[in-house]
Amino acid sequence: QLQLQESGPGLVKPSETLSLTCTVSGGSISSSSYYWGWIRQPPGKGLEWIGSIYYSGSTYYNPSLKSRVTISVDTSKNQFSLKLSSVTAADTAVYYCARQSRARGGPNWFDPWGQGTLVTVSS
Amino acid sequence: QSVLTQPPSVSGAPGQRVTISCTGSSSNIGAGYDVHWYQQLPGTAPKLLIYGNSNRPSGVPDRFSGSKSGTSASLAISGLQAEDEADYYCQSYDSSLSGSVVFGGGTKLTVL
C-alpha cells in the first residue's frame, strides 16, 4: 500500500525559503504512470495546487506561484521536494504531497495523499 | 475566486439525496477535461471519492456518484449518513495560463 509522508520545519520566517520533503513508501517514485504533486490548504480555506513533477524531473507549476516554486525529485531516495521562496504570512498552510495519475498521458487525480504538515510563516 | 465554482454549503437529512455542483468554463470542464471529487473529513487529508467524472475508487460506497455535462459537473450523495458530513472539492485541469490543475472552492455538507 503506497504511503506518502511530508517532513520539514513547521515554522519559517518571512522572506525565507520554505523547504519540505515527501517520502514515498510501498511503491516506486519512478513509475511512468504517475506525477507527484504538492497541494496546500490555508487554515479554514480551500485547496490550492502548487505544482507537480514526473520522475524524469519534468515539472509544471501553478502559474500564480511559479516564480517562487521549485519542485525536485530524488529517485534514489524515493523522495520529492518543495521549495517556496520569499514566503509571507499568506503562505501559512497545511502542505500535502500526493501521487497524481497520468491516465491518458495527462495530469489527473491525486491519490493517495500524505497526512499533511502545517507550516507557519512568522517571525 | 476559484476557477471552479461550488456552493459554499449544502445540507440534508439522513437518508436524503443531495447534489453538489461544480461549474467551470470552456477552458477547463467545457474543454473536455475530466472532473475528480474529494472528501475531506474534519482534521484529515482529502480522500479521492470520484475520478474521471463518474468512477468510484475501490472502497467508496455506491451512494456516491458523479456526472459531467457541458461546463459543469455534479456529485450526488444518496442515502445520506451522519459520517458523510465533510468538505467536498472538485478538481480539473485548466488549459489557460500555461495549464494548471484547478480546485473548486469546496462545499461543506451538513447532515441535519
Side-chain angles (χ1 to χ4, degrees):
Chain A
Q1 179 185 354
L2 191 84
Q3 292 185 314
L4 297 92
Q5 178 69 58
E6 306 87 352
S7 59
L11 182 64
V12 181
K13 290 182 169 56
S15 80
E16 296 190 343
T17 295
L18 178 160
S19 296
L20 295 174
T21 296
C22 182
T23 300
V24 178
S25 59
S28 174
I29 203 169
S30 299
S31 169
S32 62
S33 299
Y34 303 103
Y35 294 98
W36 304 89
W38 288 98
I39 304 102
R40 70 180 182 178
Q41 184 172 35
K45 296 188 177 181
L47 302 169
E48 180 181 35
W49 172 71
I50 300 170
S52 299
I53 190 165
Y54 193 51
Y55 77 93
S56 64
S58 175
T59 54
Y60 69 116
Y61 299 134
N62 185 327
S64 69
L65 297 170
K66 187 174 182 178
S67 63
R68 299 195 291 130
V69 173
T70 302
I71 297 176
S72 58
V73 64
D74 186 334
T75 55
S76 67
K77 294 182 178 178
N78 231 31
Q79 295 176 334
F80 62 107
S81 298
L82 168 70
K83 291 188 185 299
L84 181 65
S85 64
S86 305
V87 297
T88 69
D91 295 309
T92 294
V94 174
Y95 285 76
Y96 297 99
C97 60
R99 185 181 69 177
Q100 183 179 21
S101 171
R102 275 189 85 237
R104 294 194 291 277
N108 276 280
W109 59 90
F110 294 97
D111 180 58
W113 296 55
Q115 66 183 27
T117 186
L118 174 62
V119 178
T120 302
V121 178
S122 175
S123 55
Chain B
Q1 279 293 49
S2 302
V3 173
L4 304 179
T5 301
Q6 297 181 235
S9 63
V10 298
S11 62
Q16 284 189 333
R17 180 179 186 271
V18 297
T19 61
I20 298 172
S21 61
C22 175
T23 303
S25 67
S26 58
S27 62
N28 42 69
I29 299 175
Y33 295 108
D34 286 344
V35 178
H36 321 293
W37 292 89
Y38 302 88
Q39 178 192 59
Q40 186 176 32
L41 297 170
T44 69
K47 168 194 163 187
L48 181 67
L49 200 61
I50 297 287
Y51 67 95
N53 305 316
S54 59
N55 301 290
R56 282 186 309 276
S58 173
V60 173
D62 60 6
R63 302 187 295 104
F64 295 90
S65 62
S67 63
K68 172 188 159 184
S69 179
T71 58
S72 295
S74 291
L75 172 70
I77 309 171
S78 60
L80 262 184
Q81 299 180 4
E83 57 261 37
D84 297 333
E85 188 159 294
D87 293 324
Y88 293 84
Y89 294 90
C90 61
Q91 177 234 317
S92 187
Y93 180 83
D94 193 289
S95 59
S96 64
L97 298 175
S98 303
S100 180
V101 171
V102 289
F103 285 96
T107 298
K108 169 68 177 177
L109 169 62
T110 299
V111 180
L112 302 170

